[in-house]
Amino acid sequence: MNMIGKPLTTSRTPNDQEGQATVEIAFLLPILMVLLYGIIAAGFLFYAFITVSNAARDAARAGSVYRLTRGASGLSLLETVQNAVYDPGPNPDRSSLGFLSTAPPNFDVASDVTISWVDVDADSIESAGDQLTVSVTYRYTLPILSDIFVPMFPQPIVIVRDVTLEIQ
């Protein structure tokens, strides 16, 4: 009993806000799920961007030392650069693209790895001091995201990385 003589009760009246937390969760959960998916998708896209950048850097490095290694490999400069990114030969799991898919339409080593060089001494062959530019193109598709569900993100996302090094 309280000071006025009425018994203390813990029963609720019908005007209480029962279910308020359930309604709040129902409103906020979809927003939180979209936000979480956005963070995860951004992480996947960042991984793809960094991986393609590293593959271009590996290929440019292989091309820059080509003059020193061409006798042992017997490959052309373009083949050396392409094999540095992805070699479908005896070890197809050895790829500079890491966990990214190397199957079409995402990637085709013959058309997506290109080279160009600035011939400083105008002798039409790769020689020391020439500037070699390697370009790697990759078409990345975000997991689960499609044009139907989220049309504002065009699929695939094309990642192009260029790296220039001096031929040794």
Side-chain angles (χ1 to χ4, degrees):
M1 293 205 121
N2 64 9
M3 304 277 264
I4 327 176
K6 291 186 178 180
L8 294 174
T9 61
T10 57
S11 65
R12 294 185 171 177
T13 62
N15 293 335
D16 283 344
Q17 299 175 354
E18 290 183 22
Q20 176 184 357
T22 306
V23 172
E24 288 175 357
I25 290 295
F27 282 130
L28 290 177
L29 193 59
I31 295 169
L32 292 175
M33 293 304 289
V34 168
L35 185 63
L36 179 64
Y37 178 76
I39 292 169
I40 292 170
F44 278 123
L45 186 60
F46 185 67
Y47 169 78
F49 183 80
I50 294 299
T51 302
V52 172
S53 297
N54 288 340
R57 195 173 306 115
D58 288 347
R61 178 67 183 140
S64 73
V65 296
Y66 169 72
R67 283 182 353 96
L68 307 172
T69 61
R70 75 173 145 203
S73 70
L75 299 173
S76 69
L77 175 61
L78 178 59
E79 291 170 333
T80 301
V81 168
Q82 289 175 340
N83 286 350
V85 176
Y86 175 68
D87 185 5
N91 294 321
D93 57 334
R94 290 185 55 207
S95 169
S96 292
L97 293 174
F99 293 113
L100 296 178
S101 172
T102 54
N106 294 345
F107 183 74
D108 178 26
V109 72
S111 62
D112 291 334
V113 178
T114 59
I115 63 169
S116 63
W117 76 88
V118 177
D119 194 2
V120 294
D121 54 3
D123 60 359
S124 298
I125 60 169
E126 306 85 15
S127 54
D130 291 351
Q131 296 292 314
L132 174 70
T133 301
V134 175
S135 178
V136 177
T137 304
Y138 189 84
R139 286 163 292 287
Y140 183 71
T141 304
L142 287 169
I144 304 171
L145 192 64
S146 70
D147 294 332
I148 297 168
F149 296 121
V150 187
M152 68 192 90
F153 294 112
Q155 295 286 337
I157 298 169
V158 179
I159 301 170
V160 179
R161 299 301 299 154
D162 298 324
V163 175
T164 302
L165 288 178
E166 185 176 299
I167 295 177
Q168 304 298 314

